[in-house]
Structures are given as structure tokens and as C-alpha cells.
Amino acid sequence: MKSRKYVFVVIGAAVAIAAMVSVIYYNEKSETPKIDSLSLDFTYDESNSALKQSLQPQGITMSSPLRFLKQQEIEKWCKFFSDQEKQKLVEYCTSTEIKDQSGNFLGNIHMIGSPNAPKLVLVVLQSNPMLDNMSQIKTVFGTVTKELVCDCWESVKPGGYETIESWVDALRDFHIGGNKPHSESKSISLASKHMQIQLTTTKEGYVWEMLIAR
């Protein structure tokens, strides 16, 4: 990206992302759900600001968001779906960059939807083959859940997981124990939102993804 010193994690599971979004978008009794009903209950500005403030005391820095509204920018930087009908839902997109306390790049948080409100939050983080930054991954996923979904995980224990950390550990263990390049959790419903985490093996190590939608 010219004139912008900014790094994006390559998303290695676009098909799985599209599959989850299909389940969420069409998991309605009506055959033609209203697109407005898919909007999350926060704005781009308030959610990005809350995440930045909450991550900083934990030794993780988050950049101010880049904003993409022009169609050519969205096609270049926010093209998450091969299906054009799903991609049309991306009218607006913000992206932020996450680094650890040593300034090492961890990943990005993307929010996509209409100019008024996001409809999907996508957290994409990278790990080396040794998974040395598991604590930071759990911190980011935990903070995103607390700020954008609810601070209620341990009282609800969705999916039977005591903590978000145990949910992440379960996917890690399942993925490492298998022989497929991509693994994903079941979709979890919490505070009227759907959540899923995914893990993909790459040449550099692993890519972690968390998705949040209605």
C-alpha cells in the first residue's frame, strides 16, 4: 500500500469465513432476512477506540484504523469473499494493526459492513511454528470478546468451555493433532452474537482468526 506503512496478515481461510457468514446470514426463519438486522450493536469508532484502550495496558498496541469506502479500495484491501453477492455486503471497512510490547507485528482487526455499522469483525493473528505468542493471542481474543460481545463468558461458559483460553487451547490441540491445513471451532452463540475461531497452517507458522457477527 503506497504511502502507508501498514502490514496485513494474509487470510488463509476465506472459504471457511464465507461458510460461517452464510450460516449466520441465513440462519433466519424468513427466506429474505433484512440486511439491517445483521448490523452489530456498536459503531466502528467506538469499538476500535475501546479495543485500543483495553489492549494498551496489557502490553499490546493497536493502530488507529485505516478506513476504506471507495469500491476499488475495498476490492483491494477488504475482499474477503469470492462470492460476489456476499462481497456486496462489504460497503465499508476499517483495519487496524496490532503489535506486541516489543513492536513485533501480531496481526490485524478488520471490521466490515455498511458505513453506519459493522456486520462482521474479523481478528487475524499470526504465530510462528512454535506458537510462542499464545499468551498474546489469548489476550487479544479475550479482549475483543469482552469489549465487543460481553464480559460474561465465565458465567455462561458457552460451548462448555470454562474460559476463552480453554476454547483457544482446544482448537490448538485439535489442529496440531490432525493432519489438515485448516481447522475451525463450532460457532458459539453469546449475547445475541455468533463467534468462531479458526486456525490455519502456513509456511511461516499459523494464522489464527476470530469472527464475530449477528
Side-chain angles (χ1 to χ4, degrees):
M1 182 185 297
K2 293 182 179 179
S3 75
R4 289 190 178 106
K5 293 182 179 179
Y6 200 84
V7 179
F8 287 88
V9 173
V10 175
I11 298 172
V15 174
I17 292 170
M20 183 203 176
V21 172
S22 295
V23 171
I24 293 169
Y25 283 0
Y26 296 99
N27 190 20
E28 303 278 349
K29 293 182 179 179
S30 169
E31 293 183 359
T32 56
K34 294 181 179 179
I35 297 302
D36 287 345
S37 68
L38 303 176
S39 295
L40 292 161
D41 55 356
F42 47 77
T43 67
Y44 296 95
D45 286 343
E46 67 186 12
S47 53
N48 278 313
S49 177
L51 290 174
K52 185 174 184 177
Q53 291 180 17
S54 294
L55 288 169
Q56 187 173 9
Q58 302 180 82
I60 295 175
T61 60
M62 176 174 152
S63 70
S64 298
L66 295 179
R67 307 172 190 275
F68 303 108
L69 179 60
K70 295 180 180 180
Q71 193 57 42
Q72 58 267 35
E73 290 184 333
I74 290 173
E75 284 292 317
K76 186 173 184 179
W77 303 110
C78 305
K79 189 172 178 61
F80 299 117
F81 311 108
S82 56
D83 186 313
Q84 288 302 310
E85 290 304 309
K86 294 184 181 71
Q87 183 61 31
K88 285 179 182 178
L89 296 172
V90 186
E91 303 171 43
Y92 186 78
C93 173
T94 67
S95 292
T96 57
E97 184 178 86
I98 307 171
K99 295 181 180 180
D100 66 17
Q101 59 186 358
S102 299
N104 299 312
F105 176 73
L106 288 176
N108 307 101
I109 298 179
H110 308 287
M111 300 187 188
I112 62 178
S114 70
N116 296 322
K119 296 172 183 175
L120 174 68
V121 176
L122 175 59
V123 184
V124 189
L125 306 176
Q126 65 181 20
S127 293
N128 63 23
M130 302 302 294
L131 290 166
D132 290 331
N133 63 343
M134 282 299 298
S135 61
Q136 288 96 336
I137 288 169
K138 292 175 181 178
T139 295
V140 174
F141 282 175
T143 301
V144 170
T145 301
K146 179 179 178 180
E147 294 294 338
L148 305 188
V149 181
C150 71
D151 187 10
C152 61
W153 185 287
E154 293 184 12
S155 61
V156 177
K157 296 179 175 58
Y161 297 102
E162 294 285 331
T163 63
I164 294 173
E165 290 80 4
S166 62
W167 188 35
V168 173
D169 286 339
L171 181 62
R172 177 201 60 199
D173 294 345
F174 174 80
H175 183 76
I176 293 175
N179 58 2
K180 294 183 179 180
H182 177 76
S183 301
E184 58 191 65
S185 72
K186 291 182 179 179
S187 177
I188 281 179
S189 180
L190 183 65
S192 301
K193 298 180 179 72
H194 290 82
M195 303 173 61
Q196 186 182 58
I197 51 176
Q198 305 179 1
L199 182 56
T200 302
T201 302
T202 67
K203 293 180 180 179
E204 292 76 25
Y206 300 94
V207 171
W208 289 85
E209 298 164 64
M210 171 180 274
L211 301 95
I212 300 173
R214 280 289 189 187

